[in-house]
Amino acid sequence: FSGPAAVEALAKSHAQLTTLDVSFNRLTTASLDQILQAPCCGSLSTLRTGWNALQSMPQLPATLANLWIGSNPLVVGPATGSLDTVVAPRVPPAGLHVLPLGSAKHVDISYVLLGPSDLAHLHSVLFREGSAAFLDVTSCDLGDQRAARLVRDGVKFESIAASLNALTELPSWVQGTLGSLSFLQLSHNELSDRDALAIASGCGDKLRHLDLGVNGIGDTGFEAVARQFTRWTELEYLFLRSNIASDKGVSAVAESMSCLDELVELHVCWNLTTSDSTIAVAQVVAGMMKRPGSKLQLVDLFGP
């Protein structure tokens, strides 16, 4: 795609593009700049340019709102522009410093190994009142000490994904924003019943998606989550898989879940359960499925 013929074809196009996807083309920054200067890109609002060879930020159109730029070797700035969405997984840590993150509402920097200077940069450009509403820091090697450095008063997110970070406790920057969340994904950490209690009591009635799978949450944590079902009237997706709850914890979920009219998926597989709790869940699900307008599509009870 980076050849002169492709650039010339775009330059002659009379179409007014709003979305352009040039991912997986080995494009350099110079090649992409040529494309973006074509008249057909004058109204561009969304650009997908992942998996190319961009070492510096391209000259972004003033109309651009959404940028997918992950898996590029970004090292050179400056960060210019005002974007709503920045999706940049697997960029080098230096790339964070050249991304225009300041006004973004949706930020995905998953699989970026964050160092102290990177955390300080994020702290200064992202974590302030009125900035990012969705933050994905999946597998960013945070750990508890690094996560603690992200603390800032006034942070308000709507969605947080922080899986695969070896967190052994709920970070305070997450705990302080629980009430405003509609999406929380903290799977594949080392969270305990105490963390589940904090999450259950802290999350508000906007919650739609909760993933606490692959942690160390037992019966007490499951019971704490179940007690909140009457508040979480908009809950659609609940993931409690691969924890250490017994029949007692899973049965508590079953006994309380009939009020979840918006529930689409429930995952309680691979806990320390027997057929007793499986039957309890199945009986409640059967009743929910008979309701007119039931939205329930998937219940995972597999294993162990």
Side-chain angles (χ1 to χ4, degrees), residues 29-69:
T29 303
S31 299
L32 182 57
D33 280 340
Q34 281 187 282
I35 294 170
L36 295 177
Q37 289 167 11
C40 63
C41 294
S43 301
L44 201 65
S45 63
T46 298
L47 174 62
R48 298 176 182 268
T49 181
W51 298 96
N52 279 297
L54 307 179
Q55 294 190 343
S56 60
M57 284 293 297
Q59 295 295 315
L60 301 177
T63 56
L64 197 71
N66 309 301
L67 176 64
W68 276 255
I69 198 169

Coordinates of all heavy atoms in Angstrom, one line a residue, residues 29-69:
T29 N 6.3 6.8 8.4 CA 5.6 8.1 8.7 C 5.5 8.9 7.5 O 4.5 9.6 7.2 CB 6.4 8.8 9.9 OG1 6.5 8.0 11.0 CG2 5.6 10.1 10.2
A30 N 6.6 9.0 6.7 CA 6.6 9.8 5.5 C 5.5 9.3 4.5 O 4.7 10.1 3.9 CB 7.9 9.8 4.8
S31 N 5.3 8.0 4.4 CA 4.3 7.5 3.5 C 2.9 7.8 4.0 O 2.0 8.2 3.2 CB 4.5 6.0 3.4 OG 5.7 5.6 2.8
L32 N 2.7 7.7 5.3 CA 1.4 7.9 5.9 C 1.1 9.4 5.8 O -0.1 9.8 5.5 CB 1.3 7.5 7.3 CG 0.0 7.7 8.0 CD1 -1.1 7.0 7.3 CD2 0.1 7.2 9.5
D33 N 2.1 10.3 6.0 CA 1.8 11.7 5.8 C 1.4 12.1 4.4 O 0.5 12.9 4.2 CB 3.1 12.5 6.1 CG 3.3 12.7 7.6 OD1 2.4 12.5 8.4 OD2 4.5 12.9 8.0
Q34 N 1.9 11.4 3.4 CA 1.5 11.6 2.0 C 0.0 11.3 1.8 O -0.7 12.0 1.2 CB 2.3 10.8 1.0 CG 3.7 11.3 0.7 CD 4.4 10.5 -0.4 OE1 4.9 9.4 -0.1 NE2 4.3 11.0 -1.6
I35 N -0.4 10.1 2.4 CA -1.8 9.7 2.3 C -2.7 10.7 3.0 O -3.7 11.1 2.5 CB -1.9 8.3 2.9 CG1 -1.1 7.3 2.1 CG2 -3.4 7.9 3.1 CD1 -1.0 5.9 2.7
L36 N -2.3 11.1 4.2 CA -3.2 12.0 5.0 C -3.3 13.4 4.4 O -4.3 14.1 4.7 CB -2.7 12.1 6.4 CG -2.7 10.8 7.2 CD1 -2.1 11.0 8.6 CD2 -4.1 10.2 7.4
Q37 N -2.4 13.8 3.5 CA -2.5 15.1 2.9 C -3.4 15.0 1.6 O -3.7 16.1 1.1 CB -1.1 15.5 2.5 CG -0.2 15.9 3.7 CD 1.2 16.1 3.3 OE1 1.6 16.1 2.1 NE2 2.1 16.2 4.3
A38 N -3.9 13.8 1.2 CA -4.8 13.7 0.1 C -6.1 14.4 0.4 O -6.6 14.4 1.5 CB -5.0 12.3 -0.3
P39 N -6.7 15.1 -0.6 CA -8.0 15.8 -0.4 C -9.1 14.9 0.2 O -9.9 15.4 1.0 CB -8.3 16.3 -1.8 CG -7.0 16.4 -2.5 CD -6.2 15.3 -2.0
C40 N -9.0 13.6 -0.1 CA -10.1 12.7 0.4 C -10.0 12.5 1.9 O -11.0 12.0 2.5 CB -10.0 11.4 -0.3 SG -8.5 10.4 -0.1
C41 N -8.9 12.9 2.5 CA -8.7 12.7 4.0 C -9.0 14.0 4.7 O -8.8 14.1 5.9 CB -7.3 12.2 4.3 SG -6.9 10.6 3.7
G42 N -9.6 15.0 4.0 CA -9.8 16.3 4.6 C -10.9 16.3 5.7 O -10.9 17.2 6.6
S43 N -11.7 15.2 5.8 CA -12.8 15.1 6.8 C -12.6 13.9 7.6 O -13.6 13.4 8.3 CB -14.2 15.1 6.1 OG -14.4 16.3 5.4
L44 N -11.4 13.4 7.7 CA -11.2 12.1 8.4 C -11.4 12.2 9.9 O -10.9 13.1 10.5 CB -9.7 11.6 8.1 CG -9.4 10.2 8.3 CD1 -10.1 9.3 7.3 CD2 -7.9 9.9 8.1
S45 N -12.2 11.3 10.4 CA -12.4 11.3 11.9 C -11.8 10.1 12.6 O -11.5 10.2 13.8 CB -13.9 11.3 12.2 OG -14.6 10.2 11.7
T46 N -11.6 9.0 11.8 CA -11.0 7.8 12.4 C -9.9 7.2 11.6 O -10.1 7.0 10.3 CB -12.1 6.7 12.6 OG1 -13.1 7.2 13.5 CG2 -11.5 5.4 13.2
L47 N -8.7 7.0 12.2 CA -7.6 6.4 11.5 C -7.1 5.2 12.2 O -6.8 5.3 13.4 CB -6.5 7.5 11.4 CG -5.1 7.0 10.8 CD1 -5.3 6.6 9.4 CD2 -4.1 8.1 11.0
R48 N -7.0 4.1 11.5 CA -6.4 2.9 12.0 C -5.1 2.6 11.3 O -5.1 2.3 10.1 CB -7.4 1.7 11.8 CG -8.7 1.9 12.5 CD -9.7 0.8 12.2 NE -11.0 0.9 12.9 CZ -11.3 0.5 14.1 NH1 -10.4 -0.3 14.7 NH2 -12.5 0.7 14.6
T49 N -4.0 2.6 12.0 CA -2.7 2.5 11.4 C -1.8 1.6 12.2 O -0.6 1.9 12.3 CB -2.1 3.9 11.1 OG1 -0.8 3.7 10.5 CG2 -1.9 4.7 12.4
G50 N -2.4 0.6 12.8 CA -1.6 -0.4 13.6 C -0.7 -1.3 12.8 O -0.9 -1.4 11.6
W51 N 0.3 -1.8 13.4 CA 1.2 -2.8 12.8 C 1.8 -2.2 11.5 O 1.8 -2.8 10.5 CB 0.5 -4.1 12.5 CG 0.0 -4.8 13.7 CD1 -1.2 -4.7 14.3 CD2 0.8 -5.6 14.6 NE1 -1.3 -5.5 15.4 CE2 -0.1 -6.1 15.6 CE3 2.1 -6.1 14.6 CZ2 0.3 -6.9 16.6 CZ3 2.5 -7.0 15.6 CH2 1.6 -7.4 16.6
N52 N 2.4 -1.0 11.6 CA 3.2 -0.4 10.5 C 4.6 -0.2 11.0 O 5.1 -0.9 11.9 CB 2.5 0.8 10.0 CG 1.3 0.5 9.1 OD1 1.5 -0.1 8.0 ND2 0.1 0.9 9.4
A53 N 5.3 0.8 10.4 CA 6.7 1.1 10.8 C 6.8 2.5 11.1 O 7.8 3.2 10.8 CB 7.6 0.7 9.6
L54 N 5.8 3.1 11.9 CA 5.9 4.5 12.2 C 6.8 4.7 13.4 O 6.6 4.2 14.5 CB 4.5 5.0 12.6 CG 3.3 4.7 11.6 CD1 2.0 5.2 12.1 CD2 3.7 5.3 10.2
Q55 N 7.9 5.4 13.2 CA 8.8 5.8 14.2 C 8.5 7.1 14.8 O 9.1 7.5 15.9 CB 10.3 5.7 13.7 CG 10.7 4.3 13.3 CD 12.2 4.2 13.1 OE1 12.8 5.2 12.8 NE2 12.7 3.0 13.1
S56 N 7.7 7.9 14.2 CA 7.3 9.2 14.7 C 5.9 9.5 14.4 O 5.3 8.8 13.6 CB 8.1 10.4 14.1 OG 8.0 10.4 12.7
M57 N 5.3 10.4 15.2 CA 3.8 10.7 15.0 C 3.6 11.3 13.6 O 4.3 12.2 13.2 CB 3.3 11.6 16.0 CG 3.1 10.9 17.4 SD 1.8 9.7 17.3 CE 0.4 10.7 17.0
P58 N 2.6 10.8 12.9 CA 2.2 11.5 11.6 C 1.6 12.8 11.8 O 1.2 13.2 13.0 CB 1.3 10.5 11.0 CG 0.6 9.8 12.1 CD 1.7 9.7 13.2
Q59 N 1.4 13.6 10.8 CA 0.7 14.9 10.9 C -0.8 14.6 10.8 O -1.3 14.3 9.7 CB 1.2 15.8 9.7 CG 2.6 16.2 9.8 CD 2.9 17.1 11.0 OE1 2.1 18.0 11.3 NE2 4.0 16.8 11.7
L60 N -1.4 14.6 11.9 CA -2.8 14.2 12.0 C -3.7 15.3 11.5 O -3.6 16.5 11.8 CB -3.2 13.8 13.4 CG -2.3 12.7 14.1 CD1 -2.8 12.5 15.5 CD2 -2.5 11.4 13.3
P61 N -4.8 14.9 10.7 CA -5.8 15.9 10.3 C -6.5 16.6 11.5 O -6.7 15.9 12.5 CB -6.8 15.1 9.5 CG -6.0 13.8 9.1 CD -5.1 13.6 10.2
A62 N -6.8 17.8 11.3 CA -7.5 18.6 12.4 C -8.8 18.0 12.8 O -9.3 18.1 13.9 CB -7.6 20.0 12.0
T63 N -9.4 17.2 11.8 CA -10.7 16.7 12.1 C -10.7 15.3 12.8 O -11.7 14.8 13.2 CB -11.5 16.4 10.7 OG1 -10.6 15.6 9.9 CG2 -11.7 17.8 10.0
L64 N -9.5 14.8 13.0 CA -9.3 13.4 13.5 C -9.8 13.4 15.0 O -9.3 14.2 15.8 CB -7.9 12.9 13.4 CG -7.7 11.4 13.5 CD1 -8.3 10.7 12.3 CD2 -6.3 11.0 13.7
A65 N -10.6 12.3 15.3 CA -11.0 12.2 16.7 C -10.6 10.8 17.3 O -10.4 10.7 18.5 CB -12.5 12.2 16.8
N66 N -10.3 9.8 16.4 CA -10.1 8.5 16.9 C -8.8 7.9 16.2 O -8.8 7.8 15.0 CB -11.3 7.5 16.7 CG -12.6 8.2 17.2 OD1 -12.7 8.4 18.4 ND2 -13.5 8.4 16.3
L67 N -7.9 7.5 17.0 CA -6.6 7.0 16.4 C -6.2 5.6 17.0 O -6.2 5.4 18.2 CB -5.5 8.0 16.8 CG -4.1 7.6 16.3 CD1 -4.0 7.5 14.8 CD2 -3.0 8.5 16.9
W68 N -6.1 4.6 16.1 CA -5.5 3.3 16.4 C -4.1 3.3 15.9 O -3.9 3.3 14.7 CB -6.4 2.2 15.8 CG -7.6 1.8 16.6 CD1 -7.7 0.7 17.3 CD2 -8.8 2.5 16.7 NE1 -9.0 0.6 17.9 CE2 -9.7 1.8 17.5 CE3 -9.3 3.7 16.2 CZ2 -11.0 2.2 17.8 CZ3 -10.6 4.2 16.5 CH2 -11.4 3.4 17.3
I69 N -3.1 3.2 16.8 CA -1.7 3.3 16.3 C -0.8 2.3 17.0 O 0.4 2.5 17.1 CB -1.2 4.7 16.5 CG1 0.0 5.0 15.7 CG2 -1.0 5.1 18.0 CD1 0.4 6.5 15.6

